[in-house]
Amino acid sequence: MFSELKNAYKLVQYGLSLKKQLAFAVGFALIGIVLEIVTQGRQAVGGFYILISGLFIYQLIISSDVSTLVQSSPYKKKIQCFYPIISVVPWTYAVFTLIAVIHGIFVKLGGEELTQTHAMIILLIGCFLFITMIYFGVTYKFFVISTVIMCISVTIPITVVNTLARSGTALFDSYGRCVAISYVLLTVGSLISYLLSQIIYKYDLSEIAFRGMLGKKK
């Protein structure tokens, strides 16, 4: 598995618009860090931005499939389905763990009131990751429809979490429980993403998804 992971990361250098995509990744990470500091972790956006910065690796790897060399390669299916997901999952787990620890420190310092706040935030981040991982599994084949569905879907966990919070549920009394649920959501989302990429593998890559990068490549 380690050798496969090395192969996956080697493909990053062959992705379209490498410098531009890496700049976007750094930009998202920096914005996320600033938001986490400014809000003291009381909003989900900061942590989520930090996490999705690593998902640019997914896009770089799958964009390498546009080249004629890869198109004729026996590793084409791996490059589209397997390498992207195994490259981002370790990063996502590691960074999510770091964010969970930081929010856990805020909980320790803030008492019961902040326990519920950060439990809600970490669960929202887990829900957003679940949706985003699935989105990445299909968007490079069906960009428009998957993007529309994803934009609608992100409102669901926000509504559900806010409704549960107003109902006085005991769910958010345990920060550790919400962290555990988020790990489950991340794991299930990653598995669904991989399975969907396998199912839709034979469909052509969406030109719209790579339009900006392909234009520069030409």
Side-chain angles (χ1 to χ4, degrees), residues 5 8-9 12 51-61 82-95 129 132-133 136 186 190 193:
L5 195 57
Y9 285 122
V12 171
L51 282 158
I52 63 174
S53 66
L55 293 178
F56 281 92
I57 297 172
Y58 194 115
Q59 179 163 295
L60 283 166
I61 291 175
F82 182 61
Y83 286 153
I85 196 71
I86 67 162
S87 66
V88 300
V89 165
W91 160 270
T92 308
Y93 271 103
V95 177
L129 280 175
T132 305
M133 295 305 290
F136 269 77
L186 171 56
S190 300
S193 178

Side-chain angles (χ1 to χ4, degrees), residues 173-186:
D173 292 342
S174 172
Y175 176 74
R177 182 191 302 144
C178 289
V179 171
I181 293 171
S182 296
Y183 274 117
V184 172
L185 288 169
L186 171 56

Side-chain angles (χ1 to χ4, degrees), residues 150-209:
M150 191 268 288
C151 291
I152 296 171
S153 298
V154 294
T155 65
I156 297 173
I158 295 172
T159 303
V160 171
V161 168
N162 286 333
T163 301
L164 288 172
R166 286 195 297 268
S167 72
T169 178
L171 174 63
F172 304 121
D173 292 342
S174 172
Y175 176 74
R177 182 191 302 144
C178 289
V179 171
I181 293 171
S182 296
Y183 274 117
V184 172
L185 288 169
L186 171 56
T187 303
V188 174
S190 300
L191 290 172
I192 294 174
S193 178
Y194 176 67
L195 290 174
L196 287 175
S197 69
Q198 292 273 332
I199 292 169
I200 64 175
Y201 164 68
K202 292 187 178 180
Y203 287 90
D204 293 333
L205 289 170
S206 170
E207 185 178 337
I208 298 175

Side-chain angles (χ1 to χ4, degrees), residues 71-129:
Q71 287 292 323
S72 59
S73 169
Y75 294 99
K76 180 183 175 181
K77 188 172 184 179
K78 270 192 173 183
I79 292 170
Q80 279 197 25
C81 305
F82 182 61
Y83 286 153
I85 196 71
I86 67 162
S87 66
V88 300
V89 165
W91 160 270
T92 308
Y93 271 103
V95 177
F96 178 77
T97 300
L98 178 61
I99 290 171
V101 169
I102 292 171
H103 281 257
I105 292 171
F106 286 138
V107 168
K108 291 285 186 183
L109 297 175
E112 184 178 344
E113 181 184 346
L114 286 187
T115 296
Q116 295 185 346
T117 298
H118 287 284
M120 288 171 58
I121 295 303
I122 209 71
L123 184 58
L124 270 178
I125 292 174
C127 291
F128 292 158
L129 280 175

Side-chain angles (χ1 to χ4, degrees), residues 28-29 31-33 35-36 43-51 99 125:
F28 269 89
I31 292 171
I33 291 169
L35 288 173
E36 281 285 274
Q43 293 183 7
V45 178
F48 182 60
Y49 269 36
I50 296 171
L51 282 158
I99 290 171
I125 292 174

